[in-house]
Amino acid sequence: MDPILERIQTMTRRHFFGRGAVGLGTAALASLLPDRAAQATGADQDRPALSSGGLPGLPHFAPKAKRAIYLFMSGGPSQLDLFDYKPTMNEWFDKDLPESIRQGQRLTTMTSGQTRFPIAPSRYEFKQHGNSGAWVSELLPHTAKMVDDLAIVKSINTEAINHDPAITYICTGHQLPGRASMGSWLGYGLGSMNENLPSFVVMTPTWTGRKDAQALYNRLWGSGFLPSKHQGVRLRTDGDAVLFLSDPPGVSSTKRRRMLDSLATLNQKHYDQFADPETQARIAQYEMAFRMQSSVPDLMNLADEPKHILDMYGPDVQKPGTFAYCALMARRLAERDVRFVQLFHRGWDQHGNVAGDLPKQCQDIDQPCWALVQDLKQRGLLDDTLVIWGGEFGRTIYCQGGLTRENYGRDHHPRCFTIWMAGGGIKPGIVHGETDDFSYNVVQDPVHIHEMNATILQCLGIDHKRLTYKFQGLDMRLTGVEDHRPVQALLA
């Protein structure tokens, strides 16, 4: 039989199409190799980090930020009780939300059957802070101290009204699973700045509010259709920081090295036969895991942190798994030039008992968030590190369940919610956007979540319309196919 025809017949459909992306696997492996040029010139440790891997031509323009830290408050923080001050609502206590405000907008099944939608004013005091005069709740005293470092955006909006589609939408640009997450896009486009740590690291700290929190799925930091080497790596706080990082009992580092070399040889033969780029990605991931055996323990060792830094983050900072501990880890990852760090803090889904649960959630994150921004700032890292804080949607002005002056619940509300941003590329000390008297609709400067993601990419030197990946005949991108644009008013 003709060997060429035989080769064609034995090639699977996946391998055939995969051959078009052979270079991606090679780039994946090259991104994990040492920077030979830097070694040859004897470049010192203080030089700016050089990216390896990534796409030719990226960044598209000079970036303001080299890395980003996303503090994701999973569950939907109540903008009404934290940032969006609505004092006139005190006069509306227990009155029904006017239909002229709701305008037939979609409700969740948790409140769509209610016979009434009574107004629940915030029970918390607000004060203005900083040169911007930003209103901040008494629940966030440390955040209030740094409003001049922040761009507070009160007009974020989304179409998603339930947790999983809403979080998936922000993290991947689509409500349905299967797309690549933001951190994966950044690793794919910009490459890695540290050969011994992943370019995308995820942490899921503990929380003290409502115990029945929404589930988090690995696909929120998955690579989707991108090569698998770009998926996020989760740092754990019990056992190995990364799964299977330790050598098995009876296996020395030397034996493990020989095993990986032999495995790489077998994988290379498989790659030579089928040209599947995922084989190269597998080789690269094994090599990364081997180097992480030394880099991760050093990362997790807080012995070199001065007491005054630990005190900044609060009393929980040395308790592995707390938000304070993870915030400090985020700073340590940032100074090691990890491209994207994402913390998912659960428990913000206050359908009831706002008075009991919301203060605990805020106590978890308020001081550590302030400490993270100030710590980055004093080290000169905030200039080129973008920090984002926010959830997947906001909460309703009307009450879910029982209503009193002292306690109430709030349902999901995608029409308007608040996030803040700080650091590289962001204009500090501003408040952007405005909502109506009921914090129900945006009345000034709306910002869709695609526009927020486009702004994040802009800070990192990426034109969001030009960062694409061909999949299933489409040019996929993080920000969808609509004509969304970065929010220029937020950019420094």
Side-chain angles (χ1 to χ4, degrees):
M1 184 176 183
D2 187 323
I4 296 179
L5 292 176
E6 184 178 7
R7 169 70 170 172
I8 292 173
Q9 290 180 6
T10 57
M11 182 180 293
T12 67
R13 183 174 181 273
R14 171 178 291 183
H15 294 145
F16 174 80
F17 287 110
R19 289 184 66 85
V22 166
L24 294 175
T26 305
L29 180 59
S31 72
L32 298 177
L33 296 177
D35 186 345
R36 302 297 183 192
Q39 291 180 354
T41 59
D44 60 45
Q45 297 296 318
D46 294 328
R47 68 175 176 82
L50 298 176
S51 296
S52 58
L55 299 178
L58 267 78
H60 296 127
F61 39 81
K64 296 292 183 69
K66 295 192 303 183
R67 63 190 80 77
I69 299 172
Y70 202 136
L71 309 172
F72 199 98
M73 307 295 111
S74 174
S78 171
Q79 79 283 2
L80 285 152
D81 297 291
L82 301 178
F83 293 104
D84 204 6
Y85 183 43
K86 299 299 179 185
T88 59
M89 289 296 96
N90 287 319
E91 303 169 7
W92 281 79
F93 174 75
D94 204 24
K95 295 179 181 178
D96 285 345
L97 177 70
E99 183 55 37
S100 61
I101 300 298
R102 182 188 159 197
Q103 298 177 343
Q105 291 168 3
R106 182 184 176 195
L107 304 177
T108 74
T109 56
M110 289 168 284
T111 54
S112 59
Q114 289 187 182
T115 57
R116 296 186 59 220
F117 300 100
I119 300 295
S122 178
R123 70 185 297 272
Y124 300 106
E125 294 184 4
F126 282 72
K127 291 183 180 178
Q128 286 182 288
H129 299 270
N131 295 326
S132 65
W135 291 96
V136 182
S137 164
E138 63 179 303
L139 292 176
L140 298 173
H142 286 86
T143 302
K145 294 191 297 184
M146 64 171 178
V147 293
D148 284 340
D149 294 322
L150 310 180
I152 298 173
V153 188
K154 298 165 63 177
S155 54
I156 303 290
N157 58 89
T158 177
E159 293 84 26
I161 199 170
N162 289 311
H163 293 288
D164 189 62
I167 298 178
T168 304
Y169 198 10
I170 290 184
C171 289
T172 72
H174 201 274
Q175 294 188 48
L176 297 179
R179 304 292 182 97
S181 58
M182 179 182 290
S184 298
W185 276 111
L186 292 176
Y188 166 69
L190 297 176
S192 174
M193 298 187 294
N194 186 319
E195 66 185 45
N196 296 319
L197 287 169
S199 64
F200 178 17
V201 173
V202 173
M203 288 174 278
T204 56
T206 57
W207 68 99
T208 59
R210 179 186 177 189
K211 293 305 178 185
D212 298 328
Q214 293 294 319
L216 295 174
Y217 300 96
N218 289 358
R219 55 181 165 75
L220 295 175
W221 50 90
S223 56
F225 41 69
L226 296 177
S228 60
K229 71 158 294 233
H230 299 298
Q231 65 187 311
V233 173
R234 182 184 168 200
L235 281 188
R236 306 179 335 135
T237 55
D238 56 338
D240 284 347
V242 178
L243 285 173
F244 312 117
L245 194 63
S246 299
D247 291 326
V251 177
S252 66
S253 180
T254 302
K255 288 181 180 179
R256 187 180 179 95
R257 179 68 269 172
R258 289 204 305 265
M259 180 193 73
L260 289 177
D261 290 341
S262 299
L263 189 58
T265 300
L266 292 174
N267 278 324
Q268 186 62 46
K269 289 181 178 179
H270 186 272
Y271 175 76
D272 292 341
Q273 181 178 3
F274 295 104
D276 183 354
E278 282 298 297
T279 305
Q280 291 284 18
R282 189 180 304 123
I283 296 172
Q285 288 168 323
Y286 286 144
E287 291 299 317
M288 170 63 79
F290 185 77
R291 290 198 294 276
M292 285 170 63
Q293 286 188 306
S294 59
S295 62
V296 168
D298 175 70
L299 166 72
M300 310 295 282
N301 183 5
L302 302 184
D304 60 344
E305 292 290 344
K307 183 178 184 300
H308 72 276
I309 295 295
L310 296 174
D311 290 342
M312 281 178 60
Y313 285 85
D316 291 335
V317 70
Q318 296 196 68
K319 299 177 183 177
T322 62
F323 187 89
Y325 175 88
C326 293
L328 178 57
M329 282 296 133
R331 191 226 76 207
R332 292 173 66 86
L333 288 162
E335 65 185 349
R336 286 163 172 77
D337 278 323
V338 169
R339 179 74 69 185
F340 192 70
V341 181
Q342 193 159 22
L343 275 62
F344 288 90
H345 184 250
R346 299 161 67 193
W348 292 87
D349 192 23
Q350 277 85 48
H351 288 277
N353 195 27
V354 166
D357 292 335
L358 186 59
K360 295 177 182 177
Q361 293 293 112
C362 292
Q363 188 173 17
D364 285 347
I365 63 94
D366 181 43
Q367 183 173 347
C369 287
W370 165 80
L372 174 61
V373 173
Q374 304 315 306
D375 200 1
L376 291 169
K377 188 176 180 180
Q378 69 185 9
R379 294 168 189 269
L381 288 169
L382 189 61
D383 292 338
D384 57 9
T385 303
L386 175 62
V387 183
I388 310 107
W389 180 100
E392 67 267 35
F393 41 57
R395 316 301 299 192
T396 57
I397 183 65
Y398 64 79
C399 180
Q400 177 179 345
L403 170 63
T404 68
R405 283 283 186 181
E406 296 302 315
N407 208 355
Y408 41 86
R410 299 194 189 280
D411 200 4
H412 308 166
H413 189 61
R415 297 286 297 179
C416 60
F417 57 106
T418 301
I419 63 107
W420 59 253
M421 308 170 78
I426 293 297
K427 187 181 298 182
I430 64 170
V431 177
H432 183 80
E434 192 53 75
T435 62
D436 60 23
D437 287 342
F438 298 84
S439 190
Y440 205 89
N441 299 292
V442 175
V443 296
Q444 182 179 322
D445 298 323
V447 177
H448 189 270
I449 58 170
H450 279 330
E451 294 171 320
M452 182 183 77
N453 285 346
T455 305
I456 293 171
L457 295 181
Q458 177 89 3
C459 292
L460 289 152
I462 297 174
D463 178 348
H464 74 104
K465 293 183 179 180
R466 294 164 60 192
L467 179 60
T468 63
Y469 187 86
K470 182 75 73 175
F471 181 68
Q472 295 182 341
L474 300 174
D475 289 326
M476 298 293 189
R477 68 188 196 201
L478 176 65
T479 52
V481 299
E482 302 87 354
D483 187 26
H484 293 295
R485 301 179 184 181
V487 183
Q488 295 298 322
L490 297 177
L491 300 175

